[in-house]
Amino acid sequence: MDHRGPKFARLGAKVLEGMKSIFKTRGQVFIYPASGTGAWEAALVNTLSPGDRLLMYETGHFAALWHGLAERLGYQPEFIEGDWRGGADPRAIAERLRQDSAHQIKAVCVVHNETSTGSTTLIGQVRQAIDEANHPALLMVDTISSLASMDYRHDEWGVDVTIAGSQKGLMLPPGLSFNAVSEKALHASKSAASRKSYWAWDEMSGPNASGFFPYTPATNLLYGLAESIDMLMQEGLDNVFARHLRLAVATRSAVNTWGLEVLCKNADHYSSSLTAVLMPEGHDADNFRRIVLENFNMSLGNGLSKVAGKVFRIGHLGDFNELMLLGTLAGVEMGLELSGVPYQSGGVQAAMDSFSNRTGTENNSRQVASN
Amino acid sequence: MDHRGPKFARLGAKVLEGMKSIFKTRGQVFIYPASGTGAWEAALVNTLSPGDRLLMYETGHFAALWHGLAERLGYQPEFIEGDWRGGADPRAIAERLRQDSAHQIKAVCVVHNETSTGSTTLIGQVRQAIDEANHPALLMVDTISSLASMDYRHDEWGVDVTIAGSQKGLMLPPGLSFNAVSEKALHASKSAASRKSYWAWDEMSGPNASGFFPYTPATNLLYGLAESIDMLMQEGLDNVFARHLRLAVATRSAVNTWGLEVLCKNADHYSSSLTAVLMPEGHDADNFRRIVLENFNMSLGNGLSKVAGKVFRIGHLGDFNELMLLGTLAGVEMGLELSGVPYQSGGVQAAMDSFSNRTGTENNSRQVASN
Amino acid sequence: MDHRGPKFARLGAKVLEGMKSIFKTRGQVFIYPASGTGAWEAALVNTLSPGDRLLMYETGHFAALWHGLAERLGYQPEFIEGDWRGGADPRAIAERLRQDSAHQIKAVCVVHNETSTGSTTLIGQVRQAIDEANHPALLMVDTISSLASMDYRHDEWGVDVTIAGSQKGLMLPPGLSFNAVSEKALHASKSAASRKSYWAWDEMSGPNASGFFPYTPATNLLYGLAESIDMLMQEGLDNVFARHLRLAVATRSAVNTWGLEVLCKNADHYSSSLTAVLMPEGHDADNFRRIVLENFNMSLGNGLSKVAGKVFRIGHLGDFNELMLLGTLAGVEMGLELSGVPYQSGGVQAAMDSFSNRTGTENNSRQVASN
Amino acid sequence: MDHRGPKFARLGAKVLEGMKSIFKTRGQVFIYPASGTGAWEAALVNTLSPGDRLLMYETGHFAALWHGLAERLGYQPEFIEGDWRGGADPRAIAERLRQDSAHQIKAVCVVHNETSTGSTTLIGQVRQAIDEANHPALLMVDTISSLASMDYRHDEWGVDVTIAGSQKGLMLPPGLSFNAVSEKALHASKSAASRKSYWAWDEMSGPNASGFFPYTPATNLLYGLAESIDMLMQEGLDNVFARHLRLAVATRSAVNTWGLEVLCKNADHYSSSLTAVLMPEGHDADNFRRIVLENFNMSLGNGLSKVAGKVFRIGHLGDFNELMLLGTLAGVEMGLELSGVPYQSGGVQAAMDSFSNRTGTENNSRQVASN
């Protein structure tokens, strides 16, 4: 396909428009032939100048990676320490912003869904915290592992830059990433002095207006993206979110029954797209993961950096349903048995119970609303 | 691809040879662009003459279909009645053959694995029965749902024509079917007076010798077949059989725990590739299947003809593993709950137990040997 | 996909209905998991009784194969000899039918487009010949290499059984074949005494009515067929036919310019889907084909049986356009040079000329109308 | 696939090693989930500091884009003007470097094969020019449209950073790009002060050593890359280069015959991967391209920026052979006719002649050696 021809332009226009519906924004969306890390970089270099201060929140490994990236790029990111067991605390953010009467902090950066911990940050509350502090900082949110799996509202929650990637809720291979951008962020980009070219929004806007891109796009993934958007719209975003919530509730029922602990301690912050589980003291999570892989050909997520060897992660996002989850949970439960980890059996049964009676689902519908 | 060119010839030679390993034969294998029903027809029209008598055994729906096909084709198939709850009884076959002192019966036809009932016929014992009766009848065996899932030995068990298809253990779409053929069957085909052309072995043999076919082959499926043969050989046929046995044992553990009944009553005849389950009196299996489909997007096999509405069938063959089975069994167990069918919970747990302790597997290794 | 479930039924209904549009019939269409040879057999065994007389016409290799198949199946096919250089002669057919005052001939069988010679039979004229002879014989037509490439009208031309396959104009892999069937043929099938089961129309009709098949269908090819039908309808059948005619006209321009001879001598019988070309005396067509294959990685069709070594064949059907044809013709022209075959250069140029001026196309629009 | 697991590590190691063979280097290769523009940026930001001077050469549109990118990133690129009708002039480069006695120029950047003009720069001679000037500047070369189509020797030619992409000679979709890196470039990267993170070589080296990547790789494209490398090695790189040369020679024969002018004026600089053709005065190239697209469904490359409307481009790289080229050239020749552009017919014929007699190929074997 000729990426300078009329057929391509129709595809380009379709996916650019479709992604606005996914982000729930009327603003602009930029698509990069890059993985999510690139979209992190794009969010910063388009809006900031060298030496700018940022406020970031240590929700886990990926927040720490983003923090490191900001440092490498020459910004001064302040890091509110976290215990990796919940989402960002809006009060801590509000407090820090109130101290910044000089408005030196140019952006607040949080991860919506920490893939390393299974904790979610309530973005609406972060927005409220910034507003209450009367602070002009931009709000940037990483939704790499939540977009199209959990409810997300770029415009309503007043987010300035949302970062996303192709390989999770969009059910594609990795290789595309996104910035959804508010008017305020676009305005900031006019005076942002950071050097950039590949990531530059201003070079994208012109060609995008007619469905094109300023350099060679990842054509095949864009075709796939058009399909993914169609599939999500056909199922209905609300149904997609409800499905992921059901899967998450069932997973936590299993974990509780096993007598293991969900890493996320704050029930309001539970993730719908993955659950991280703490291993009992004295038991190595990676040894357990190896046993599961060898016996059941299933690859569980590993604990990253601070929680390496201490947690394993169960993904339940994307093109995933109840029976696939139950197979997964069964692999975990049998792996616990084979690994000699102390546990109570019945986890899979508990997950099944949560699917076959309605009350489980209703109890948890609260969470969606409260987000 | 030019199916008259040298590249195709290499593919043709490879799959013809590879299928011999799968059938465990040194004889000829014929490949038809047709579904399994065509290979049933081929087995008969190549070896028999109009009006010939056959001895068939009513193991279930597919045996009955084959019987009907034989009648339509102008043969006189005698049908030993069965209760659909086990494989063929070798003693009944032996007894009938001993009565046939005039050797009017030209062939004994049995289904190795009845897809409608989940019962297996012990082919080695059928061979022995024919031999003990000193009867010259050909032995024809349908392995459509067992080949490459359960142990099968065309040469060692003295089978004359084995019928198979692409869509089960060979993990391909439907559209290819097979005859594996003994010297004795080939000899019989010289004088068989049934009219045939598409199915005629004698027109196949010549072109097959150099990797070609007498008419347009289903090229794409042959490519897939070459891949399937490689995959099976890489896993090792014995490992493939052991895997299916493990899955079947676990399935029966679940069924027993639920308090339901496996349709197959004879433990020596349990199928490794699928399990048919009886619904309790007063509960409609198709209603149950509909509830499972609507709630969990899982399609269980239906009861066919005599057992319509009375049984449902759980397939566990082909590219299938422990966790996929547990997801399947969970769908069944939750469906029982939702349908108001009386059952004991714990079936999935029992299946997990059978996977996570070694004894289950060892107990059942007996069955492989006894076949 | 469960071929007994509701989703499959929608697919089945769609392709059965769509194929009626392709055949231009309101009658029934039967779809076999088989190659075209199977559909030849199906046409005969459903409508005839053992020993029935047929009138067939030797247009080339495939007509001869069909004749041989009829003999093997126990019919008495009479063969009107042909020189392989044109379609069937309606007058010869009429003459023979007039002699058959006892109406012993039960069917007239002709090949619409002889793949071995590139000659077309004008089916409308054959119909007229049968009518003028006041003969009740069924008319059976093989359209394996013409359907969806050249105009074909099952109902308007009064054809009783049309035979087709998936791998030419329908642009699919081989593995599906078809019978389109008139009321008269269906009526004949009620009393036809030939033994059949796999091919039996009467077992198909019931399940087909609700989108199902009496035995396992070739599911993947049926998905492909639904796509092919959509593509053909989107381009428009008349445009598809016009495209193939343009390609054929250009091919013949090239052949004439080279000073070679098109095998088909009757301009009214030129095929739109392929062109067979005679090699000059003393030059082996297969040696020439080998040189083309080795030098340009292009596989030309070989001469079959009577014309082996004497002709090569250029296919120009299916998903094929002007530039692909010109590449093909260039390979032929360069191959002639490399093989030392006497020829005049300029063939590709002539083909280009036929594409770039309108008159060529208009001159030939006559042929479509006259068919 | 788990991109942190052992299977992935084997894939990663394979493609990293394979790409070294393609670049003909023993140095390191870095792979980005990005298009080629990203690899341009990576080459600069890893080796340079803000304000650094570069010497770039205006061979055409892509050289100009790279120049613009360098400016945006805060470097001071000097641009040796070119007429877009040949590769870079090594003498001009040598001359400029000799003037730079203070060695302020940190890098010389040239495009090996200008996609916008079809002109090649002789990299060995540029290397010689730098050496003769005794200048320490790094040599950076863009091979986006030449790698794996034309001979390229990273080590032998003393290149410090080679930039490449997946979508041309590697026959993949766009989405991967590459830096091949010399020891000298790696050393320069230790002190380069430009801000970077996504593109940073130093974060790649560690994970790469064991087959991993510092952030999510474009897994599907890496699978494809492994296949492409295998295909190229099986054909043999020298054969791949010879094939492209044959195609280019034939293309130029056609252009000359038409009486049109190849944009590249220097025969030593002719590209093997594409040919740009000047339209006669008064004829719009884009109108011509539109006519070709509408009539023959073929998309020719357009003239970019300075040569917009004045040239069209014929690509002949990647998975392309003689007959595909002849079809392409036929589309051009017929398009010239339909567009009323003055031309001499016989271009396709001339291209065919160049393929069917040996002398054409031998004459041009000189070019390979001289590069």
Side-chain angles (χ1 to χ4, degrees), chain A residues 342-366:
Chain A
Y343 79 106
Q344 296 298 318
S345 72
V348 173
Q349 183 68 53
M352 290 164 59
D353 291 348
S354 103
F355 287 137
S356 48
N357 77 61
R358 303 257 155 178
T359 57
T361 307
E362 281 169 311
N363 280 350
N364 284 279
S365 64
R366 186 175 45 87

PDB file of all heavy atoms in Angstrom, chain A residues 342-366:
ATOM      1  N   PRO A 342       2.389 -22.988  50.603  1.00  0.00           N
ATOM      2  CA  PRO A 342       1.190 -23.187  51.422  1.00  0.00           C
ATOM      3  C   PRO A 342       0.008 -22.400  50.863  1.00  0.00           C
ATOM      4  O   PRO A 342       0.133 -21.206  50.577  1.00  0.00           O
ATOM      5  CB  PRO A 342       1.598 -22.635  52.796  1.00  0.00           C
ATOM      6  CG  PRO A 342       2.783 -21.769  52.551  1.00  0.00           C
ATOM      7  CD  PRO A 342       3.454 -22.291  51.311  1.00  0.00           C
ATOM      8  N   TYR A 343      -1.103 -23.083  50.669  1.00  0.00           N
ATOM      9  CA  TYR A 343      -2.274 -22.398  50.120  1.00  0.00           C
ATOM     10  C   TYR A 343      -3.504 -23.230  50.469  1.00  0.00           C
ATOM     11  O   TYR A 343      -3.403 -24.412  50.807  1.00  0.00           O
ATOM     12  CB  TYR A 343      -2.138 -22.258  48.595  1.00  0.00           C
ATOM     13  CG  TYR A 343      -2.483 -23.528  47.851  1.00  0.00           C
ATOM     14  CD1 TYR A 343      -3.682 -23.652  47.142  1.00  0.00           C
ATOM     15  CD2 TYR A 343      -1.624 -24.627  47.894  1.00  0.00           C
ATOM     16  CE1 TYR A 343      -4.007 -24.819  46.489  1.00  0.00           C
ATOM     17  CE2 TYR A 343      -1.945 -25.804  47.243  1.00  0.00           C
ATOM     18  CZ  TYR A 343      -3.133 -25.894  46.548  1.00  0.00           C
ATOM     19  OH  TYR A 343      -3.449 -27.064  45.919  1.00  0.00           O
ATOM     20  N   GLN A 344      -4.645 -22.614  50.369  1.00  0.00           N
ATOM     21  CA  GLN A 344      -5.904 -23.323  50.515  1.00  0.00           C
ATOM     22  C   GLN A 344      -6.467 -23.594  49.136  1.00  0.00           C
ATOM     23  O   GLN A 344      -6.528 -22.683  48.310  1.00  0.00           O
ATOM     24  CB  GLN A 344      -6.924 -22.454  51.277  1.00  0.00           C
ATOM     25  CG  GLN A 344      -6.509 -22.146  52.694  1.00  0.00           C
ATOM     26  CD  GLN A 344      -6.378 -23.405  53.521  1.00  0.00           C
ATOM     27  OE1 GLN A 344      -7.223 -24.301  53.422  1.00  0.00           O
ATOM     28  NE2 GLN A 344      -5.303 -23.519  54.290  1.00  0.00           N
ATOM     29  N   SER A 345      -6.878 -24.816  48.883  1.00  0.00           N
ATOM     30  CA  SER A 345      -7.470 -25.068  47.575  1.00  0.00           C
ATOM     31  C   SER A 345      -8.846 -24.415  47.511  1.00  0.00           C
ATOM     32  O   SER A 345      -9.363 -23.920  48.506  1.00  0.00           O
ATOM     33  CB  SER A 345      -7.553 -26.564  47.301  1.00  0.00           C
ATOM     34  OG  SER A 345      -8.557 -27.132  48.096  1.00  0.00           O
ATOM     35  N   GLY A 346      -9.420 -24.379  46.328  1.00  0.00           N
ATOM     36  CA  GLY A 346     -10.748 -23.791  46.185  1.00  0.00           C
ATOM     37  C   GLY A 346     -10.762 -22.441  45.496  1.00  0.00           C
ATOM     38  O   GLY A 346     -11.813 -21.832  45.350  1.00  0.00           O
ATOM     39  N   GLY A 347      -9.610 -21.995  45.058  1.00  0.00           N
ATOM     40  CA  GLY A 347      -9.561 -20.684  44.410  1.00  0.00           C
ATOM     41  C   GLY A 347     -10.322 -20.664  43.095  1.00  0.00           C
ATOM     42  O   GLY A 347     -11.087 -19.729  42.822  1.00  0.00           O
ATOM     43  N   VAL A 348     -10.124 -21.681  42.313  1.00  0.00           N
ATOM     44  CA  VAL A 348     -10.829 -21.738  41.030  1.00  0.00           C
ATOM     45  C   VAL A 348     -12.331 -21.825  41.295  1.00  0.00           C
ATOM     46  O   VAL A 348     -13.137 -21.151  40.641  1.00  0.00           O
ATOM     47  CB  VAL A 348     -10.336 -22.937  40.197  1.00  0.00           C
ATOM     48  CG1 VAL A 348     -11.172 -23.097  38.946  1.00  0.00           C
ATOM     49  CG2 VAL A 348      -8.856 -22.768  39.860  1.00  0.00           C
ATOM     50  N   GLN A 349     -12.678 -22.637  42.281  1.00  0.00           N
ATOM     51  CA  GLN A 349     -14.095 -22.758  42.640  1.00  0.00           C
ATOM     52  C   GLN A 349     -14.672 -21.400  43.028  1.00  0.00           C
ATOM     53  O   GLN A 349     -15.774 -21.035  42.601  1.00  0.00           O
ATOM     54  CB  GLN A 349     -14.214 -23.745  43.817  1.00  0.00           C
ATOM     55  CG  GLN A 349     -15.642 -24.010  44.229  1.00  0.00           C
ATOM     56  CD  GLN A 349     -16.388 -24.779  43.158  1.00  0.00           C
ATOM     57  OE1 GLN A 349     -15.940 -25.821  42.701  1.00  0.00           O
ATOM     58  NE2 GLN A 349     -17.526 -24.248  42.716  1.00  0.00           N
ATOM     59  N   ALA A 350     -13.927 -20.638  43.796  1.00  0.00           N
ATOM     60  CA  ALA A 350     -14.406 -19.312  44.217  1.00  0.00           C
ATOM     61  C   ALA A 350     -14.599 -18.401  43.004  1.00  0.00           C
ATOM     62  O   ALA A 350     -15.573 -17.643  42.927  1.00  0.00           O
ATOM     63  CB  ALA A 350     -13.419 -18.698  45.204  1.00  0.00           C
ATOM     64  N   ALA A 351     -13.666 -18.492  42.050  1.00  0.00           N
ATOM     65  CA  ALA A 351     -13.796 -17.680  40.839  1.00  0.00           C
ATOM     66  C   ALA A 351     -15.050 -18.092  40.067  1.00  0.00           C
ATOM     67  O   ALA A 351     -15.792 -17.253  39.551  1.00  0.00           O
ATOM     68  CB  ALA A 351     -12.549 -17.822  39.973  1.00  0.00           C
ATOM     69  N   MET A 352     -15.281 -19.403  39.983  1.00  0.00           N
ATOM     70  CA  MET A 352     -16.475 -19.889  39.299  1.00  0.00           C
ATOM     71  C   MET A 352     -17.733 -19.382  39.997  1.00  0.00           C
ATOM     72  O   MET A 352     -18.697 -18.967  39.349  1.00  0.00           O
ATOM     73  CB  MET A 352     -16.481 -21.420  39.264  1.00  0.00           C
ATOM     74  CG  MET A 352     -15.429 -21.997  38.332  1.00  0.00           C
ATOM     75  SD  MET A 352     -15.117 -23.766  38.645  1.00  0.00           S
ATOM     76  CE  MET A 352     -16.757 -24.417  38.381  1.00  0.00           C
ATOM     77  N   ASP A 353     -17.717 -19.422  41.315  1.00  0.00           N
ATOM     78  CA  ASP A 353     -18.885 -18.932  42.055  1.00  0.00           C
ATOM     79  C   ASP A 353     -19.140 -17.465  41.742  1.00  0.00           C
ATOM     80  O   ASP A 353     -20.285 -17.051  41.603  1.00  0.00           O
ATOM     81  CB  ASP A 353     -18.649 -19.095  43.567  1.00  0.00           C
ATOM     82  CG  ASP A 353     -18.648 -20.557  43.986  1.00  0.00           C
ATOM     83  OD1 ASP A 353     -19.062 -21.412  43.163  1.00  0.00           O
ATOM     84  OD2 ASP A 353     -18.204 -20.860  45.104  1.00  0.00           O
ATOM     85  N   SER A 354     -18.063 -16.707  41.625  1.00  0.00           N
ATOM     86  CA  SER A 354     -18.256 -15.273  41.368  1.00  0.00           C
ATOM     87  C   SER A 354     -18.867 -15.062  39.979  1.00  0.00           C
ATOM     88  O   SER A 354     -19.545 -14.084  39.737  1.00  0.00           O
ATOM     89  CB  SER A 354     -16.945 -14.507  41.535  1.00  0.00           C
ATOM     90  OG  SER A 354     -16.369 -14.173  40.311  1.00  0.00           O
ATOM     91  N   PHE A 355     -18.623 -16.001  39.061  1.00  0.00           N
ATOM     92  CA  PHE A 355     -19.220 -15.862  37.722  1.00  0.00           C
ATOM     93  C   PHE A 355     -20.658 -16.354  37.698  1.00  0.00           C
ATOM     94  O   PHE A 355     -21.472 -15.847  36.933  1.00  0.00           O
ATOM     95  CB  PHE A 355     -18.438 -16.658  36.678  1.00  0.00           C
ATOM     96  CG  PHE A 355     -17.113 -16.050  36.324  1.00  0.00           C
ATOM     97  CD1 PHE A 355     -15.979 -16.841  36.199  1.00  0.00           C
ATOM     98  CD2 PHE A 355     -16.993 -14.680  36.102  1.00  0.00           C
ATOM     99  CE1 PHE A 355     -14.754 -16.284  35.856  1.00  0.00           C
ATOM    100  CE2 PHE A 355     -15.777 -14.112  35.761  1.00  0.00           C
ATOM    101  CZ  PHE A 355     -14.653 -14.917  35.644  1.00  0.00           C
ATOM    102  N   SER A 356     -20.949 -17.375  38.494  1.00  0.00           N
ATOM    103  CA  SER A 356     -22.274 -17.978  38.307  1.00  0.00           C
ATOM    104  C   SER A 356     -23.333 -17.376  39.217  1.00  0.00           C
ATOM    105  O   SER A 356     -24.500 -17.702  39.085  1.00  0.00           O
ATOM    106  CB  SER A 356     -22.215 -19.511  38.411  1.00  0.00           C
ATOM    107  OG  SER A 356     -21.504 -19.914  39.543  1.00  0.00           O
ATOM    108  N   ASN A 357     -22.972 -16.500  40.138  1.00  0.00           N
ATOM    109  CA  ASN A 357     -24.055 -15.755  40.796  1.00  0.00           C
ATOM    110  C   ASN A 357     -23.885 -14.267  40.576  1.00  0.00           C
ATOM    111  O   ASN A 357     -22.794 -13.743  40.476  1.00  0.00           O
ATOM    112  CB  ASN A 357     -24.182 -16.133  42.280  1.00  0.00           C
ATOM    113  CG  ASN A 357     -23.122 -15.508  43.150  1.00  0.00           C
ATOM    114  OD1 ASN A 357     -23.024 -14.289  43.249  1.00  0.00           O
ATOM    115  ND2 ASN A 357     -22.313 -16.361  43.771  1.00  0.00           N
ATOM    116  N   ARG A 358     -25.010 -13.621  40.471  1.00  0.00           N
ATOM    117  CA  ARG A 358     -25.033 -12.230  40.019  1.00  0.00           C
ATOM    118  C   ARG A 358     -24.453 -11.256  41.050  1.00  0.00           C
ATOM    119  O   ARG A 358     -23.989 -10.194  40.693  1.00  0.00           O
ATOM    120  CB  ARG A 358     -26.479 -11.815  39.751  1.00  0.00           C
ATOM    121  CG  ARG A 358     -27.187 -12.690  38.736  1.00  0.00           C
ATOM    122  CD  ARG A 358     -27.270 -11.991  37.400  1.00  0.00           C
ATOM    123  NE  ARG A 358     -27.391 -12.984  36.343  1.00  0.00           N
ATOM    124  CZ  ARG A 358     -27.519 -12.674  35.069  1.00  0.00           C
ATOM    125  NH1 ARG A 358     -27.548 -11.407  34.696  1.00  0.00           N
ATOM    126  NH2 ARG A 358     -27.581 -13.612  34.150  1.00  0.00           N
ATOM    127  N   THR A 359     -24.581 -11.584  42.340  1.00  0.00           N
ATOM    128  CA  THR A 359     -24.247 -10.600  43.367  1.00  0.00           C
ATOM    129  C   THR A 359     -22.816 -10.112  43.257  1.00  0.00           C
ATOM    130  O   THR A 359     -22.544  -8.918  43.398  1.00  0.00           O
ATOM    131  CB  THR A 359     -24.483 -11.184  44.774  1.00  0.00           C
ATOM    132  OG1 THR A 359     -23.704 -12.372  44.876  1.00  0.00           O
ATOM    133  CG2 THR A 359     -25.946 -11.489  44.990  1.00  0.00           C
ATOM    134  N   GLY A 360     -21.929 -11.009  42.980  1.00  0.00           N
ATOM    135  CA  GLY A 360     -20.516 -10.620  42.835  1.00  0.00           C
ATOM    136  C   GLY A 360     -20.371  -9.449  41.882  1.00  0.00           C
ATOM    137  O   GLY A 360     -19.759  -8.423  42.205  1.00  0.00           O
ATOM    138  N   THR A 361     -20.971  -9.560  40.750  1.00  0.00           N
ATOM    139  CA  THR A 361     -20.830  -8.515  39.755  1.00  0.00           C
ATOM    140  C   THR A 361     -21.431  -7.201  40.235  1.00  0.00           C
ATOM    141  O   THR A 361     -20.842  -6.150  40.069  1.00  0.00           O
ATOM    142  CB  THR A 361     -21.508  -8.952  38.448  1.00  0.00           C
ATOM    143  OG1 THR A 361     -20.983 -10.226  38.102  1.00  0.00           O
ATOM    144  CG2 THR A 361     -21.231  -7.966  37.340  1.00  0.00           C
ATOM    145  N   GLU A 362     -22.588  -7.293  40.854  1.00  0.00           N
ATOM    146  CA  GLU A 362     -23.248  -6.060  41.266  1.00  0.00           C
ATOM    147  C   GLU A 362     -22.447  -5.325  42.334  1.00  0.00           C
ATOM    148  O   GLU A 362     -22.267  -4.118  42.274  1.00  0.00           O
ATOM    149  CB  GLU A 362     -24.666  -6.353  41.739  1.00  0.00           C
ATOM    150  CG  GLU A 362     -25.599  -6.529  40.543  1.00  0.00           C
ATOM    151  CD  GLU A 362     -26.949  -7.086  40.941  1.00  0.00           C
ATOM    152  OE1 GLU A 362     -26.976  -8.108  41.684  1.00  0.00           O
ATOM    153  OE2 GLU A 362     -27.972  -6.521  40.536  1.00  0.00           O
ATOM    154  N   ASN A 363     -21.968  -6.069  43.309  1.00  0.00           N
ATOM    155  CA  ASN A 363     -21.148  -5.438  44.341  1.00  0.00           C
ATOM    156  C   ASN A 363     -20.037  -4.601  43.735  1.00  0.00           C
ATOM    157  O   ASN A 363     -19.676  -3.560  44.240  1.00  0.00           O
ATOM    158  CB  ASN A 363     -20.484  -6.498  45.219  1.00  0.00           C
ATOM    159  CG  ASN A 363     -21.471  -7.020  46.254  1.00  0.00           C
ATOM    160  OD1 ASN A 363     -22.543  -6.439  46.404  1.00  0.00           O
ATOM    161  ND2 ASN A 363     -21.115  -8.094  46.932  1.00  0.00           N
ATOM    162  N   ASN A 364     -19.507  -5.091  42.668  1.00  0.00           N
ATOM    163  CA  ASN A 364     -18.337  -4.430  42.138  1.00  0.00           C
ATOM    164  C   ASN A 364     -18.652  -3.350  41.110  1.00  0.00           C
ATOM    165  O   ASN A 364     -17.769  -2.661  40.669  1.00  0.00           O
ATOM    166  CB  ASN A 364     -17.411  -5.471  41.525  1.00  0.00           C
ATOM    167  CG  ASN A 364     -16.700  -6.219  42.617  1.00  0.00           C
ATOM    168  OD1 ASN A 364     -15.722  -5.727  43.138  1.00  0.00           O
ATOM    169  ND2 ASN A 364     -17.235  -7.357  43.006  1.00  0.00           N
ATOM    170  N   SER A 365     -19.901  -3.246  40.768  1.00  0.00           N
ATOM    171  CA  SER A 365     -20.255  -2.210  39.801  1.00  0.00           C
ATOM    172  C   SER A 365     -19.998  -0.834  40.425  1.00  0.00           C
ATOM    173  O   SER A 365     -19.801   0.144  39.734  1.00  0.00           O
ATOM    174  CB  SER A 365     -21.722  -2.347  39.379  1.00  0.00           C
ATOM    175  OG  SER A 365     -22.543  -2.116  40.488  1.00  0.00           O
ATOM    176  N   ARG A 366     -20.002  -0.815  41.750  1.00  0.00           N
ATOM    177  CA  ARG A 366     -19.666   0.402  42.478  1.00  0.00           C
ATOM    178  C   ARG A 366     -18.324   0.981  42.011  1.00  0.00           C
ATOM    179  O   ARG A 366     -18.189   2.181  41.811  1.00  0.00           O
ATOM    180  CB  ARG A 366     -19.578   0.057  43.962  1.00  0.00           C
ATOM    181  CG  ARG A 366     -19.383   1.242  44.893  1.00  0.00           C
ATOM    182  CD  ARG A 366     -19.439   0.737  46.340  1.00  0.00           C
ATOM    183  NE  ARG A 366     -18.644  -0.478  46.527  1.00  0.00           N
ATOM    184  CZ  ARG A 366     -17.326  -0.460  46.813  1.00  0.00           C
ATOM    185  NH1 ARG A 366     -16.691   0.664  46.956  1.00  0.00           N
ATOM    186  NH2 ARG A 366     -16.676  -1.602  46.973  1.00  0.00           N
TER     187      ARG A 366
END
